[in-house]
Amino acid sequence: MSSIAGWFAERAWDRRPGLAFLGFAAASVVPFLFGIPYMAFILNVVMGLDYSFGELLAVGLLPFILGGLIKAALAAAIIPGAWALVRKADQSKN
């Protein structure tokens, strides 16, 4: 996840709120790409349960979407301002 956020930061996406939101939201998807299949393996293979794909999404993804969007929006609102403060501090040193 941090490598994706870093990739966006290298391209200065974290300095504009709209692009920052897209970058943070994209980075938030990564844990689910690995976590949902892992959860399916643990529940269905290791524990012997029979969760369908829809049920897995209902318990392992859907409850977290709103929180992820809120975190991405907060970061997109805060980070560009932090960069502006850093640039201001750098300019005051010169």
Side-chain angles (χ1 to χ4, degrees):
M1 182 164 82
S2 60
S3 61
I4 293 173
W7 186 86
F8 286 117
E10 287 175 350
R11 285 146 186 82
W13 279 38
D14 59 344
R15 287 157 180 86
R16 295 184 12 213
L19 291 175
F21 176 79
L22 290 175
F24 294 131
S28 295
V29 169
V30 173
F32 295 105
L33 293 177
F34 294 95
I36 299 295
Y38 180 71
M39 184 178 68
F41 174 77
I42 296 298
L43 292 175
N44 291 337
V45 176
V46 175
M47 295 180 69
L49 302 174
D50 189 26
Y51 276 81
S52 70
F53 183 69
E55 291 170 324
L56 289 166
L57 293 180
V59 298
L61 174 67
L62 299 179
F64 304 101
I65 291 176
L66 180 59
L69 292 174
I70 290 170
K71 286 189 294 186
L74 286 171
I78 294 168
I79 298 296
W83 274 116
L85 290 173
V86 168
R87 283 192 299 276
K88 186 176 179 179
D90 282 346
Q91 290 172 351
S92 69
K93 289 180 183 178
N94 295 332

